[in-house]
Each structure stands twice: as structure tokens, then as C-alpha cells.
Amino acid sequence: MTLSVGILIFQGFEVLDVFGPVELLATYPEHFEITMVAEQRGAIRSAQGPSCIAEEAIGDGRPYDMILVPGGQGTRTQVGNPAVMRWLQTQAVQAQWVTSVCTGSALLAKAGLLDGRKATSNKMSFKWVASQGPEVNWDYGARWVEDGNILTSSGVSAGMDMTLGLIANLHGEKAAEDAALWAEYSWHRDAATDPFAGAWENLHPA
Amino acid sequence: MTLSVGILIFQGFEVLDVFGPVELLATYPEHFEITMVAEQRGAIRSAQGPSCIAEEAIGDGRPYDMILVPGGQGTRTQVGNPAVMRWLQTQAVQAQWVTSVCTGSALLAKAGLLDGRKATSNKMSFKWVASQGPEVNWDYGARWVEDGNILTSSGVSAGMDMTLGLIANLHGEKAAEDAALWAEYSWHRDAATDPFAGAWENLHPA
């Protein structure tokens, strides 16, 4: 079975949050059909500068089997975007998997999708993200968190580790290892432990 | 000083070859000004499906301080594209840095830019890449290779390691470490040793 994957992009999305997971999912086109979706179709400028194309609009109302929400400085604006909040809430009702990378978890939290759930986000912006979801059981130290059908990851590259974890869930460890090998990526397999949590704590002691 | 960085994209480019380095270079907008360039301006479809925008065309003739050439299945076509070959040769005359990721080194090799130089490429397609440059000193085991002002890397994620190596050269180890920390990426610092070289050898013994 092929899962339709809707990847939300918006002005100021983080490129690696999107294209790390895309690289790995696309190893298996028979399993994952990837579509970039945004509030408006067309070119969407990333936080890093380059623009990518949204082929579908959230207003189209297409339901996806899986959604992926990246982070990036644009999340600061999107938490206040009612159209995006409604789209997330509508998708979450029927999607098999709801996933986010980095500060993308702030959007899931603000939409209320993480209430009563365990979740994580990137370390640098953790306080701001956590403030978007006071009813969430935030796990600061995790590389990624799976709670039911919702997966949230720590910062940027952690999205690749989470994606490999999802591939392993769905298609076995060997499929995840092969995807990592194809991308010559060293998979952090331990979801519970983010090697960067300590680094940020040292830089920015509480 | 800000380096202008021209990133070549073409139909069938590999997304992580491009956006891994972009993510890291964009940590320092004061040092790197990134432009996506292609044979034609506009939307260019990646090997993984999503399309990105080329803001400039190679026919514009703009010289870049640094060029980056990604891999992807599209390189099979581009080695036979005279316009791209001429662009690479022209850029190489004046660019301070010429860099490639994965099978992007096949394009540099075919353009003659690697003759007499040491270079590497990704492990899975190594034989095909090496056949594009019989006068190149190919280093199968390297994660990335620096020979003068030309840097070539192994497959996909190795482009991030090479980019961090370049940032370290230009702005010091601390700047590279900070970029890796920002992206929560575990840098393979050892350019001479690709941890995946052995994996491919075991899968596809010579």
C-alpha cells in the first residue's frame, strides 16, 4: 500500500527539515507518494533562501495518509494562521500518521493535537515551542518521540532519524537501514536520547 | 567577505545533496550568498519528486566565487550536456572553490576539471563516475577530498561533512561546529575515511 504524504511548507520553512525526510521516504516510491502543500500553490521561499514549489493548496481539502510539518523561523508566523491550524486539525482526524520536525511541533501543539501526549522539539527553541502547548508532556531529552500515531522530532537532522524510525515501524529495520545506506547517513537509532540536548544545556544553562 | 555560491540544479538532482550543504552554509549569511542556477530559470524537478526554483540561468554568465554541483540520477543526462560542461569549465577558471556532492563529481570529471587531481564520489555509483574521468586519481575510501580549490564528496549526506570541512577551512573549527550544532548534525570530521565504503564493498564485492 502506498501512503500519500503531504508535506506542509510555508514562507521561512527550514530546508533540511523537509528534504532530509523527503530524501529517505523517496527511497521507497512504492510506499510513499510525496506532495508539497502550502496555503497557496507555487513558489515558497525557505528560511535559507531557495524557493520550492507547492503543488497543492491546503484549501483543496485533500486528505493525506501522512502529514509532515517542518520547522524554521516561519513557524513563528504560522502558529497565528487560522487556515493552517484548521488544516492540521482536519488532517489529524483521518491521517494515519502526523509528524513534525524541529519547531514544526509548535504548530501541532498550537492546533491542540499534542494535548495529553508526549512530544519533543528542537533544543534551541524549546521554551517557545513548549509555550505553544501547556497541556503537552514535553520530553526535552528525546531525539524523537512516538506517541500513538504522532511522531515529533528534535531539531533539523533529527527529522531524518525520526523518518528512519517510521520506515522501520512500517517496513522493518532492514528497510530503514537500506534507506540510511543509500543516503550514506549515520542513523541515530536511539529515540530516547538526543546527543545535542546536553550541548544546548551547556550553552544556555537554565 | 561574502562568497557568492552558485548551486547547479537540473532535472533529477538529489535533494539532500543540495539542501544539506544549503542548510549549513545558510548558518552564515554574512559569509555565503546562495543562488540556485540551472540551464533554464524556473521550476526544476528533483529525483525525489519535489521541484525547486532556479533563480538564475547558466546562460546569464554570472561568475560565482564558489560553485556546488549535486548528484542524482539526472547526472547521467548532464554528462552529455555541452552547455553545462562549458559552464563548469568557465566557472572553474575564476571560482575560488569548486565543489561537488555524490555523482556531481562525474560532471566535474567529464568537464576535465579533475584531471590529475585527487577526488571521490559516492560508493554505489563509483565505477560509472570513475569512467567519466580516467585521468583522475580516484580515492574510493574517502568521505570527502580536498585537492587545491576543488572539493568532492562521497554520497548524499557526505556533502554535509564536506561543507563543514570547508566552513572550518574558511572560518575555523568553531564556526563549523556551531553550524553542525544548529542543524543538530553529527559531523564526520575524518575526510579520509568514509564509514560507508566498507558497507558497499560488502554488498557489491568487486
Side-chain angles (χ1 to χ4, degrees), chain B residues 68-118:
Chain B
L68 185 143
V69 181
Q73 62 190 38
T75 56
R76 268 65 174 183
T77 306
Q78 296 305 320
V79 287
N81 184 338
V84 163
M85 290 298 116
R86 275 195 304 274
W87 183 80
L88 291 172
Q89 289 157 350
T90 307
Q91 292 292 329
V93 172
Q94 54 74 40
Q96 292 174 46
W97 297 97
V98 173
T99 70
S100 68
V101 180
C102 199
T103 51
S105 52
L107 301 185
L108 300 187
K110 190 72 176 183
L113 304 182
L114 301 180
D115 286 353
R117 303 251 203 172
K118 201 172 149 194

Side-chain angles (χ1 to χ4, degrees), chain A residues 48-64:
Chain A
Q48 285 67 42
S51 293
C52 296
I53 302 284
E55 309 146 68
E56 298 181 1
I58 63 177
D60 298 349
R62 177 180 169 195
Y64 299 96

Side-chain angles (χ1 to χ4, degrees), chain A residues 152-168:
Chain A
T152 53
S153 87
S154 186
V156 195
S157 306
M160 299 181 70
D161 300 320
M162 175 189 78
T163 300
L164 291 167
L166 180 65
I167 292 172

Side-chain angles (χ1 to χ4, degrees), chain B residues 111-178:
Chain B
L113 304 182
L114 301 180
D115 286 353
R117 303 251 203 172
K118 201 172 149 194
T120 196
S121 184
N122 93 319
K123 304 317 167 204
M124 187 177 41
S125 306
F126 208 85
K127 279 184 188 170
W128 174 74
V129 172
S131 75
Q132 304 301 312
E135 305 301 318
V136 181
N137 301 318
W138 292 105
D139 181 347
Y140 177 82
R143 186 69 173 167
W144 79 92
V145 169
E146 184 178 339
D147 187 334
N149 71 330
I150 301 189
L151 277 75
T152 53
S153 88
S154 188
V156 194
S157 305
M160 299 179 71
D161 300 320
M162 174 189 79
T163 300
L164 291 167
L166 181 64
I167 292 172
N169 280 355
L170 292 170
H171 303 290
E173 291 279 323
K174 177 67 165 59
E177 284 162 6
D178 286 352

